[in-house]
């Protein structure tokens, strides 16, 4: 009987330890700090701060999202970029994502682009309208100029390609997406340009245009990360994906990939804490 009690206590202790580990892995938000230097950044924008919030997926971060909001406030952003999947198409609690966006807008001006979960939602037009009714800057279809004195930088973005239809049933979707990119970016000026684009795997497409700094998410850090091999799986990239986190360069563009904040079909992160990214611009 005593032996059984010891085994039961040991098993209970193990379950508690595993539960605590998974809780920390999925709720302890990491702030990744990046310094980005470029001769295209005007001197008046030296030390301008950008915070990225991606792939929220209606995730619970304390009452009213207080834990996430504190993390964002602590970065003292000049602007906040919300790079898609604010809501999750599999969960009914869309109000949490909308409320989070409103709260973020009280910290700093927010710029938003759609993710595949908004596009694949049961009522895309309905959720899209609710998001835009918050007053967020809709970079999916508009360019925005931020000015300081006579200087300016440009914030732009692109809809997630899922807005164009189902990848499996619409074989022309990528040619349609190329046209969308061309229409959006053919008239970009010479300003330092920041692009919001949900999917990092389309980096090659984005880098064909005069965009300097690209913010993406979608990959959830590869969901489970291991030493050496890093992320194991990402949507639309498959096993051992290339773009799951960190900084990447191609042509004259730099891509920052956020691990995001929430989960979707697979409910747990392992060695892959949720993150926000805080970027400080430096004039070179």
């Amino acid at each position: 009987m005593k032996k059984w009690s010891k085994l039961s206590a040991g098993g209970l202790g193990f379950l508690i330890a595993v539960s605590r580990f998974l809780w920390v892995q999925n709720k302890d938000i990491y702030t990744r700090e990046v310094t980005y230097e470029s001769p295209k950044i005007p001197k008046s924008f030296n030390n301008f701060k950008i915070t990225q919030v991606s792939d929220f997926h209606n995730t619970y971060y304390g009452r009213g999202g207080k834990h996430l909001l504190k993390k964002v406030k602590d970065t003292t952003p000049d602007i906040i970029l919300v790079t898609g999947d604010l809501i999750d198409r599999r969960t009914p609690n869309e109000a949490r994502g909308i409320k989070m966006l409103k709260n973020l807008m009280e910290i700093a001006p927010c710029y938003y682009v759609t993710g595949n979960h908004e596009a694949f939602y049961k009522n895309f037009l309905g959720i899209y309208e609710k998001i835009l009714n918050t007053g967020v800057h809709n970079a999916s279809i508009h360019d925005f100029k931020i000015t300081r004195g006579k200087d300016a930088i440009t914030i732009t973005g692109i809809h997630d390609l899922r807005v164009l239809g189902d990848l499996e049933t619409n074989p022309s979707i990528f040619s349609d997406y190329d046209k969308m990119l061309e229409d959006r970016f053919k008239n970009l000026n010479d300003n330092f340009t920041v692009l919001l684009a949900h999917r990092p795997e389309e980096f090659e497409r984005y880098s064909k245009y005069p965009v300097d700094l690209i913010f993406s998410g979608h990959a959830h850090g590869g969901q489970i990360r291991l030493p050496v091999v890093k992320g194991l799986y990402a949507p639309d990239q498959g096993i051992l994906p290339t773009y799951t986190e960190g900084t990447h360069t191609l042509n004259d563009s730099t891509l920052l990939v956020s691990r995001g904040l929430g989960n979707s079909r697979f409910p747990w992160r392992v060695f892959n804490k949720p993150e926000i990214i805080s970027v400080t611009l430096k004039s070179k």
Side-chain angles (χ1 to χ4, degrees), residues 66-174:
K66 62 181 181 179
H67 302 311
L68 172 57
L69 293 170
K70 183 181 185 305
K71 285 285 187 177
V72 174
K73 285 180 183 177
D74 288 347
T75 65
T76 61
D78 290 291
I79 61 172
I80 298 170
L81 309 183
V82 182
T83 49
D85 286 1
L86 181 68
I87 57 95
D88 189 279
R89 72 181 182 89
R90 296 181 178 87
T91 61
N93 192 7
E94 62 182 40
R96 183 179 289 161
I98 301 298
K99 178 63 175 175
M100 176 54 65
L101 182 57
K102 290 179 179 178
N103 289 337
L104 289 171
M105 290 169 62
E106 293 179 2
I107 299 173
C110 290
Y111 298 80
Y112 162 83
V113 291
T114 55
N116 58 298
H117 275 255
E118 287 92 344
F120 203 47
Y121 198 60
K122 58 187 176 183
N123 180 10
F124 166 64
L125 292 179
I127 192 65
Y128 187 50
E129 182 179 14
K130 289 178 182 179
I131 289 170
L132 298 187
N133 282 344
T134 64
V136 70
H137 297 300
N138 182 17
S140 296
I141 58 173
H142 297 294
D143 302 334
F144 298 91
K145 186 182 291 185
I146 300 176
T147 59
R148 285 188 169 183
K150 295 181 180 179
D151 298 325
I153 64 174
T154 298
I155 308 295
T156 190
I158 189 71
H159 268 307
D160 183 75
L161 63 82
R162 185 63 181 76
V163 169
L164 297 171
D166 191 332
L167 296 170
E168 294 182 0
T169 60
N170 183 3
S172 67
I173 196 167
F174 284 105

Side-chain angles (χ1 to χ4, degrees), residues 216-235:
S216 293
H218 188 51
H220 294 199
Q223 205 68 45
I224 297 172
R225 298 187 67 81
L226 298 176
V228 183
V229 297
K230 305 300 183 184
L232 295 187
Y233 178 84

